[in-house]
Amino acid sequence: MYLEIVSPEATLFSGEVDSVSVPGVNGEFEMLKDHAPIVSLLKEGNVKIAGNITLDEEVEAKFNKSDRGFWLPISSGTIEMKDNKVIVLAD
């Protein structure tokens, strides 16, 4: 599935991923390919992305690396998933 993570300053990531996990206001949830359409508010936490991921050098310092992929700390945001495209608007 295709993921875009956008902040007020820049697009932090855009590319193919295997999974995305986000801190929803009602708890953390994960989306995989062919997930049902969803729109949700996000609270403070980490956006975790897994897959064969390459980050641009300009934004790499904003992400932390784990054994499953990368995670990005956010203070709030929104997420929309539809037709295997995920858009995260993060603060």
Side-chain angles (χ1 to χ4, degrees):
M1 65 185 166
Y2 190 80
L3 169 66
E4 280 187 74
I5 302 176
V6 181
S7 75
E9 297 85 30
T11 298
L12 302 177
F13 177 81
S14 60
E16 292 290 324
V17 298
D18 294 337
S19 70
V20 180
S21 180
V22 294
V25 291
N26 293 320
E28 185 171 329
F29 62 96
E30 183 175 34
M31 291 155 291
L32 302 169
K33 184 178 180 199
D34 297 326
H35 192 283
I38 188 168
V39 174
S40 179
L41 293 174
L42 303 177
K43 64 180 183 178
E44 185 174 358
N46 296 307
V47 175
K48 301 171 188 170
I49 55 177
N52 187 13
I53 298 160
T54 304
L55 297 173
D56 291 336
E57 289 181 18
E58 304 86 49
V59 299
E60 194 170 6
K62 295 182 184 284
F63 288 82
N64 297 296
K65 187 163 176 44
S66 72
D67 57 340
R68 279 196 68 211
F70 291 90
W71 52 277
L72 172 71
I74 64 168
S75 57
S76 65
T78 59
I79 186 167
E80 177 186 19
M81 177 165 186
K82 183 178 177 186
D83 299 328
N84 286 320
K85 182 175 182 181
V86 182
I87 300 172
V88 176
L89 303 176
D91 285 332

